């Protein structure tokens, strides 16, 4: 059974972003061709899942992943990290063999 994980800190930030934007629905995670390492993460709001999506729920926050992206995201953890230099979502992906400095692009 495919799986992803979203940390409590990331769920908190996603919930806050939903409230700030006034959106209902879930967070769509995906993979697109491109980026400095070959593949890049897609990260956007979506009002509802598509019929073929994998749907995950973390403390009331839904995450939608399409079947093609699930191949690359299975086992991934979405976290939110804060440091003096930068704050933002971080992808810990076991399928990424190489990633770029910005953390939003990878190759497998």
């Amino acid at each position: 059974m495919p799986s992803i994980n979203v940390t409590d800190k990331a769920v908190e930030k996603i919930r806050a972003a939903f409230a700030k934007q006034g959106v209902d629905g879930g967070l769509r995670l995906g993979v697109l061709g491109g980026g400095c390492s070959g593949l890049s993460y897609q990260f956007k709001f979506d009002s509802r899942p598509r019929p073929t999506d994998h749907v995950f729920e973390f403390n009331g926050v839904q995450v939608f992943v399409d079947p093609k992206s699930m191949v690359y995201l299975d086992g991934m953890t979405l976290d939110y990290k804060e440091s003096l230099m930068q704050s933002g979502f971080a992808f810990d992906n076991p399928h990424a063999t190489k990633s770029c400095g910005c953390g939003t692009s990878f190759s497998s």
Side-chain angles (χ1 to χ4, degrees):
M1 179 81 183
S3 70
I4 61 167
N5 187 43
V6 180
T7 66
D8 291 342
K9 184 99 174 160
V11 167
E12 208 176 283
K13 293 294 183 180
I14 295 165
R15 190 177 287 121
F18 281 11
K20 185 177 181 182
Q21 299 291 324
V23 295
D24 286 325
L27 180 72
R28 176 163 299 282
L29 288 179
V31 174
L32 299 171
C36 52
S37 294
L39 296 168
S40 61
Y41 294 108
Q42 178 188 38
F43 190 87
K44 65 180 184 174
F45 300 119
D46 204 340
S47 58
R48 62 185 169 278
R50 297 179 192 136
T52 57
D53 281 345
H54 294 272
V55 179
F56 303 94
E57 189 164 331
F58 304 93
N59 297 327
V61 170
Q62 287 192 318
V63 177
F64 313 138
V65 182
D66 67 86
K68 286 182 182 173
S69 294
M70 196 71 229
V71 171
Y72 298 102
L73 300 180
D74 187 23
M76 181 205 76
T77 297
L78 177 64
D79 195 5
Y80 189 87
K81 298 189 180 192
E82 294 178 279
S83 72
L84 291 174
M85 296 299 286
Q86 69 180 40
S87 297
F89 289 98
F91 298 87
D92 181 10
N93 188 341
H95 298 285
T97 55
K98 184 175 80 172
S99 62
C100 65
C102 62
T104 60
S105 178
F106 71 101
S107 61
S108 64

